[in-house]
Amino acid sequence: MSITSPIPVLHGDRGTELRSEGEGLLLRRRDDELRIPLVAIARVRAERRAVTIELTAPAGTEPTEYGVTDVSAAAATAFADAVNAALPERTADEPAVDGSTLVVTRSLVSGDDGEDGEADDARPRGLPKPAKWATWAANGAIALLAVAVGVADGNWGRGIATLLLGELAIGAVFLAWAGLMSVWEGWYLRRYGITVETRQVYRNGTDTNAYTATDGVTRYVGGTDKGRTVRVAYHPRKPGTAVVLTGLGDRIGGLILCLVIAGIAGLIAWGVVALALPAFDG
């Protein structure tokens, strides 16, 4: 028997959600989600602002129960009445099955589900190779410049200062480059990517956002949107590349910050040149 009457979606404490889905119920919690078929349910009880799902159980055994608390009392009553009316009819002599064996559980925590773990392993980590090469080359050039300044000037203090200021310039350039790449990626994915809403899950000791791409794999991305539902845009051909979509003000603020850091990086680089050149005048 299918559920034909409108059944409210219950949102409980700690992000718990209970809804009807096809021939069963979907109970989504912080760490997992449970698909409970109607044939596994003995009854649903509404008690003020709480709903309890009691599963079928053989005679003489304690039935398994799942609960959602801190929901609307009116919605809880409507939910329980609608689901109880949709339960399949059972005869008095029909033996009860253990409903818990019919419940399908899927973990939302990384490492508990092989598919999720595989998706994480497939995502690129760290800097791309060209950026690594550029960083190493810049560090090597600054080190050589510092040695040359120390030898030419006969003052190793100037050489050490050149080294430290040069490394600071490299760090500032890297921050500006990474920020500008993030701004560009956000613009590109907002325009050409696939936008989905996420669900918040508990993973690696903190709350994060989970989204499922068209390949059916669940992936994770951090970030918030000021208390609103978090939307994510991911690359159609590389679903592991995703950004949290934020408002126009946040995007403009991020761009301005990147430009300011780029300006500071330019000033520091100019300072390195101004510090090093006098060593070669004589």
Side-chain angles (χ1 to χ4, degrees):
M1 180 182 298
S2 62
I3 299 178
T4 57
S5 58
I7 299 179
V9 177
L10 302 181
H11 296 279
D13 64 334
R14 299 175 65 83
T16 305
E17 179 183 297
L18 179 62
R19 65 168 67 230
S20 65
E21 188 173 273
E23 295 294 321
L25 303 179
L26 176 65
L27 175 59
R28 180 169 290 156
R29 303 183 292 195
R30 289 170 64 98
D31 297 340
D32 56 17
E33 64 178 22
L34 285 68
R35 296 185 181 274
I36 310 170
L38 293 180
V39 295
I41 300 174
R43 60 173 176 159
V44 178
R45 303 192 308 270
E47 301 165 340
R48 296 183 180 178
R49 301 187 62 191
V51 168
T52 302
I53 305 170
E54 181 182 319
L55 303 186
T56 58
T61 62
E62 190 73 19
T64 301
E65 294 183 347
Y66 300 110
V68 178
T69 60
D70 198 24
V71 300
S72 163
T77 301
F79 184 93
D81 291 344
V83 175
N84 286 329
L87 294 179
E89 297 181 359
R90 301 181 179 92
T91 61
D93 57 349
E94 181 181 352
V97 300
D98 185 355
S100 62
T101 62
L102 304 178
V103 177
V104 177
T105 303
R106 185 172 77 92
S107 175
L108 300 178
V109 180
S110 176
D112 292 347
D113 185 276
E115 186 178 50
D116 291 351
E118 181 180 353
D120 276 350
D121 292 340
R123 296 187 63 179
R125 299 178 183 274
L127 293 175
K129 286 185 177 180
K132 289 182 180 179
W133 295 337
T135 301
W136 282 110
N139 284 323
I142 289 297
L144 290 175
L145 177 62
V147 172
V149 167
V151 172
D153 191 62
N155 180 1
W156 285 101
R158 183 185 292 271
I160 293 174
T162 300
L163 176 65
L164 296 178
L165 195 60
E167 293 298 330
L168 183 60
I170 292 174
V173 169
F174 172 77
L175 285 178
W177 173 82
L180 290 172
M181 288 297 296
S182 177
V183 170
W184 179 88
E185 186 177 70
W187 173 86
Y188 179 87
L189 292 179
R190 176 183 291 271
R191 187 176 180 88
Y192 300 106
I194 299 175
T195 300
V196 295
E197 291 188 351
T198 68
R199 62 180 184 275
Q200 193 174 71
V201 299
Y202 188 73
R203 177 174 178 260
N204 295 338
T206 186
D207 290 327
T208 189
N209 303 297
Y211 67 97
T212 302
T214 52
D215 58 3
V217 177
T218 298
R219 296 175 172 85
Y220 307 92
V221 60
T224 61
D225 195 9
K226 298 182 179 179
R228 296 184 290 268
T229 299
V230 176
R231 294 189 305 149
V232 164
Y234 65 88
H235 198 290
R237 294 188 300 275
K238 298 181 290 183
T241 301
V243 295
V244 171
L245 299 180
T246 56
L248 178 61
D250 291 334
R251 299 199 301 274
I252 293 176
L255 177 59
I256 292 174
L257 178 60
C258 293
L259 294 177
V260 169
I261 295 176
I264 293 174
L267 290 175
I268 298 175
W270 177 84
V272 173
V273 174
L275 180 65
L277 281 181
F280 304 99
D281 288 344

Short mmCIF file of all heavy atoms in Angstrom, two decimals, residues 10-41:
data_model
loop_
_atom_site.label_atom_id
_atom_site.label_comp_id
_atom_site.label_asym_id
_atom_site.label_seq_id
_atom_site.Cartn_x
_atom_site.Cartn_y
_atom_site.Cartn_z
N LEU A 10 9.41 15.79 9.12
CA LEU A 10 9.71 16.15 10.51
C LEU A 10 11.20 16.48 10.64
O LEU A 10 12.06 15.68 10.27
CB LEU A 10 9.36 15.00 11.45
CG LEU A 10 7.90 14.51 11.42
CD1 LEU A 10 7.71 13.40 12.43
CD2 LEU A 10 6.94 15.66 11.69
N HIS A 11 11.47 17.66 11.18
CA HIS A 11 12.85 18.07 11.46
C HIS A 11 13.02 18.12 12.97
O HIS A 11 12.42 18.95 13.65
CB HIS A 11 13.14 19.44 10.85
CG HIS A 11 13.07 19.45 9.34
ND1 HIS A 11 14.10 19.02 8.55
CD2 HIS A 11 12.06 19.82 8.50
CE1 HIS A 11 13.76 19.14 7.28
NE2 HIS A 11 12.53 19.62 7.22
N GLY A 12 13.85 17.21 13.49
CA GLY A 12 14.04 17.12 14.94
C GLY A 12 15.34 17.73 15.40
O GLY A 12 15.98 18.51 14.68
N ASP A 13 15.73 17.39 16.61
CA ASP A 13 16.95 17.96 17.18
C ASP A 13 18.18 17.36 16.53
O ASP A 13 18.15 16.29 15.93
CB ASP A 13 16.98 17.72 18.70
CG ASP A 13 17.04 16.25 19.06
OD1 ASP A 13 16.58 15.43 18.23
OD2 ASP A 13 17.53 15.91 20.15
N ARG A 14 19.29 18.11 16.61
CA ARG A 14 20.60 17.69 16.11
C ARG A 14 20.54 17.31 14.63
O ARG A 14 21.24 16.41 14.17
CB ARG A 14 21.15 16.53 16.94
CG ARG A 14 21.38 16.89 18.40
CD ARG A 14 21.80 15.68 19.21
NE ARG A 14 23.11 15.19 18.78
CZ ARG A 14 24.26 15.68 19.18
NH1 ARG A 14 24.30 16.70 20.03
NH2 ARG A 14 25.41 15.17 18.75
N GLY A 15 19.71 17.99 13.86
CA GLY A 15 19.66 17.78 12.42
C GLY A 15 18.94 16.54 11.97
O GLY A 15 19.02 16.15 10.80
N THR A 16 18.20 15.88 12.87
CA THR A 16 17.46 14.66 12.50
C THR A 16 16.30 15.02 11.58
O THR A 16 15.62 16.02 11.77
CB THR A 16 16.94 13.96 13.76
OG1 THR A 16 18.03 13.71 14.65
CG2 THR A 16 16.29 12.63 13.39
N GLU A 17 16.08 14.17 10.59
CA GLU A 17 14.99 14.39 9.64
C GLU A 17 14.27 13.08 9.38
O GLU A 17 14.90 12.04 9.18
CB GLU A 17 15.53 14.96 8.33
CG GLU A 17 14.48 15.21 7.27
CD GLU A 17 15.08 15.70 5.97
OE1 GLU A 17 15.68 16.80 5.97
OE2 GLU A 17 14.98 14.99 4.95
N LEU A 18 12.94 13.12 9.37
CA LEU A 18 12.12 11.93 9.11
C LEU A 18 11.10 12.29 8.05
O LEU A 18 10.34 13.25 8.21
CB LEU A 18 11.43 11.46 10.40
CG LEU A 18 10.51 10.23 10.27
CD1 LEU A 18 11.31 9.01 9.81
CD2 LEU A 18 9.81 9.95 11.61
N ARG A 19 11.07 11.49 6.98
CA ARG A 19 10.13 11.76 5.89
C ARG A 19 9.68 10.44 5.27
O ARG A 19 10.30 9.40 5.45
CB ARG A 19 10.79 12.63 4.82
CG ARG A 19 11.96 11.95 4.11
CD ARG A 19 12.40 12.73 2.87
NE ARG A 19 12.98 14.01 3.22
CZ ARG A 19 12.61 15.14 2.64
NH1 ARG A 19 11.65 15.13 1.74
NH2 ARG A 19 13.20 16.28 2.97
N SER A 20 8.55 10.51 4.55
CA SER A 20 8.10 9.34 3.79
C SER A 20 8.80 9.34 2.45
O SER A 20 9.07 10.39 1.87
CB SER A 20 6.58 9.40 3.59
OG SER A 20 6.24 10.51 2.78
N GLU A 21 9.10 8.15 1.98
CA GLU A 21 9.79 8.03 0.70
C GLU A 21 9.39 6.70 0.06
O GLU A 21 9.83 5.64 0.50
CB GLU A 21 11.30 8.13 0.89
CG GLU A 21 12.07 8.21 -0.41
CD GLU A 21 13.54 8.49 -0.19
OE1 GLU A 21 13.93 9.67 -0.08
OE2 GLU A 21 14.31 7.52 -0.11
N GLY A 22 8.54 6.77 -0.95
CA GLY A 22 8.11 5.55 -1.62
C GLY A 22 7.31 4.67 -0.69
O GLY A 22 6.34 5.11 -0.05
N GLU A 23 7.71 3.43 -0.59
CA GLU A 23 7.03 2.45 0.26
C GLU A 23 7.68 2.33 1.63
O GLU A 23 7.74 1.24 2.20
CB GLU A 23 7.02 1.08 -0.44
CG GLU A 23 6.21 1.03 -1.71
CD GLU A 23 4.72 1.22 -1.44
OE1 GLU A 23 4.22 0.69 -0.44
OE2 GLU A 23 4.07 1.90 -2.24
N GLY A 24 8.17 3.43 2.15
CA GLY A 24 8.81 3.38 3.45
C GLY A 24 9.10 4.77 3.98
O GLY A 24 8.61 5.78 3.47
N LEU A 25 9.91 4.80 5.02
CA LEU A 25 10.31 6.04 5.66
C LEU A 25 11.82 6.18 5.56
O LEU A 25 12.56 5.18 5.56
CB LEU A 25 9.89 6.07 7.13
CG LEU A 25 8.40 5.87 7.43
CD1 LEU A 25 8.17 5.89 8.94
CD2 LEU A 25 7.56 6.92 6.74
N LEU A 26 12.26 7.42 5.51
CA LEU A 26 13.69 7.73 5.52
C LEU A 26 14.00 8.52 6.78
O LEU A 26 13.49 9.63 6.96
CB LEU A 26 14.09 8.52 4.28
CG LEU A 26 15.56 8.99 4.23
CD1 LEU A 26 16.50 7.79 4.15
CD2 LEU A 26 15.79 9.93 3.05
N LEU A 27 14.83 7.95 7.64
CA LEU A 27 15.26 8.61 8.86
C LEU A 27 16.72 9.00 8.71
O LEU A 27 17.59 8.13 8.62
CB LEU A 27 15.09 7.69 10.07
CG LEU A 27 15.62 8.21 11.41
CD1 LEU A 27 14.93 9.51 11.80
CD2 LEU A 27 15.45 7.16 12.51
N ARG A 28 16.96 10.29 8.64
CA ARG A 28 18.33 10.78 8.44
C ARG A 28 18.81 11.40 9.75
O ARG A 28 18.19 12.31 10.28
CB ARG A 28 18.37 11.81 7.32
CG ARG A 28 19.76 12.36 7.04
CD ARG A 28 19.76 13.14 5.76
NE ARG A 28 19.61 12.26 4.61
CZ ARG A 28 19.13 12.64 3.43
NH1 ARG A 28 18.72 13.87 3.27
NH2 ARG A 28 19.05 11.79 2.43
N ARG A 29 19.95 10.88 10.24
CA ARG A 29 20.56 11.38 11.47
C ARG A 29 21.92 11.99 11.15
O ARG A 29 22.31 12.07 9.98
CB ARG A 29 20.67 10.25 12.49
CG ARG A 29 19.30 9.62 12.78
CD ARG A 29 19.37 8.54 13.84
NE ARG A 29 20.08 7.35 13.40
CZ ARG A 29 20.04 6.17 14.03
NH1 ARG A 29 19.30 6.04 15.13
NH2 ARG A 29 20.72 5.14 13.58
N ARG A 30 22.64 12.41 12.18
CA ARG A 30 23.92 13.09 11.94
C ARG A 30 24.92 12.18 11.25
O ARG A 30 25.66 12.61 10.36
CB ARG A 30 24.51 13.59 13.26
CG ARG A 30 23.77 14.75 13.88
CD ARG A 30 24.27 15.00 15.29
NE ARG A 30 25.66 15.42 15.30
CZ ARG A 30 26.05 16.69 15.38
NH1 ARG A 30 25.16 17.65 15.47
NH2 ARG A 30 27.33 17.00 15.40
N ASP A 31 24.97 10.91 11.63
CA ASP A 31 26.02 10.02 11.14
C ASP A 31 25.54 9.00 10.13
O ASP A 31 26.35 8.34 9.49
CB ASP A 31 26.67 9.28 12.31
CG ASP A 31 27.37 10.22 13.28
OD1 ASP A 31 27.68 11.34 12.86
OD2 ASP A 31 27.61 9.83 14.42
N ASP A 32 24.23 8.81 10.00
CA ASP A 32 23.75 7.77 9.10
C ASP A 32 22.32 8.07 8.66
O ASP A 32 21.68 9.01 9.16
CB ASP A 32 23.82 6.39 9.76
CG ASP A 32 23.07 6.32 11.09
OD1 ASP A 32 22.24 7.22 11.35
OD2 ASP A 32 23.30 5.40 11.87
N GLU A 33 21.82 7.30 7.72
CA GLU A 33 20.44 7.38 7.32
C GLU A 33 19.87 5.97 7.24
O GLU A 33 20.55 5.03 6.85
CB GLU A 33 20.27 8.12 5.98
CG GLU A 33 20.90 7.44 4.80
CD GLU A 33 20.66 8.23 3.51
OE1 GLU A 33 20.39 9.44 3.59
OE2 GLU A 33 20.74 7.61 2.42
N LEU A 34 18.61 5.82 7.66
CA LEU A 34 17.94 4.53 7.72
C LEU A 34 16.74 4.54 6.79
O LEU A 34 15.92 5.47 6.84
CB LEU A 34 17.48 4.21 9.15
CG LEU A 34 18.53 3.78 10.17
CD1 LEU A 34 19.48 4.91 10.51
CD2 LEU A 34 17.86 3.27 11.44
N ARG A 35 16.63 3.52 5.96
CA ARG A 35 15.46 3.34 5.12
C ARG A 35 14.62 2.22 5.74
O ARG A 35 15.05 1.07 5.80
CB ARG A 35 15.85 3.00 3.68
CG ARG A 35 16.62 4.14 3.02
CD ARG A 35 16.93 3.88 1.56
NE ARG A 35 17.69 5.00 0.99
CZ ARG A 35 17.13 6.09 0.49
NH1 ARG A 35 15.81 6.20 0.48
NH2 ARG A 35 17.87 7.07 0.02
N ILE A 36 13.43 2.60 6.18
CA ILE A 36 12.57 1.68 6.93
C ILE A 36 11.34 1.37 6.08
O ILE A 36 10.49 2.25 5.88
CB ILE A 36 12.14 2.31 8.26
CG1 ILE A 36 13.36 2.85 9.03
CG2 ILE A 36 11.38 1.31 9.11
CD1 ILE A 36 13.01 3.69 10.24
N PRO A 37 11.22 0.17 5.53
CA PRO A 37 10.03 -0.16 4.72
C PRO A 37 8.78 -0.23 5.59
O PRO A 37 8.85 -0.55 6.79
CB PRO A 37 10.38 -1.52 4.12
CG PRO A 37 11.41 -2.10 5.05
CD PRO A 37 12.18 -0.95 5.61
N LEU A 38 7.64 0.07 4.98
CA LEU A 38 6.38 0.05 5.74
C LEU A 38 6.10 -1.34 6.31
O LEU A 38 5.50 -1.45 7.39
CB LEU A 38 5.23 0.49 4.84
CG LEU A 38 5.24 1.95 4.38
CD1 LEU A 38 4.04 2.24 3.50
CD2 LEU A 38 5.27 2.90 5.57
N VAL A 39 6.50 -2.40 5.62
CA VAL A 39 6.22 -3.76 6.11
C VAL A 39 6.97 -4.06 7.39
O VAL A 39 6.64 -5.01 8.10
CB VAL A 39 6.57 -4.81 5.03
CG1 VAL A 39 5.67 -4.66 3.82
CG2 VAL A 39 8.05 -4.69 4.61
N ALA A 40 8.01 -3.26 7.70
CA ALA A 40 8.79 -3.48 8.92
C ALA A 40 8.25 -2.69 10.10
O ALA A 40 8.75 -2.83 11.22
CB ALA A 40 10.25 -3.10 8.68
N ILE A 41 7.23 -1.86 9.89
CA ILE A 41 6.72 -0.98 10.94
C ILE A 41 5.45 -1.57 11.55
O ILE A 41 4.50 -1.92 10.83
CB ILE A 41 6.42 0.42 10.36
CG1 ILE A 41 7.70 1.03 9.78
CG2 ILE A 41 5.85 1.34 11.45
CD1 ILE A 41 7.48 2.35 9.08
#
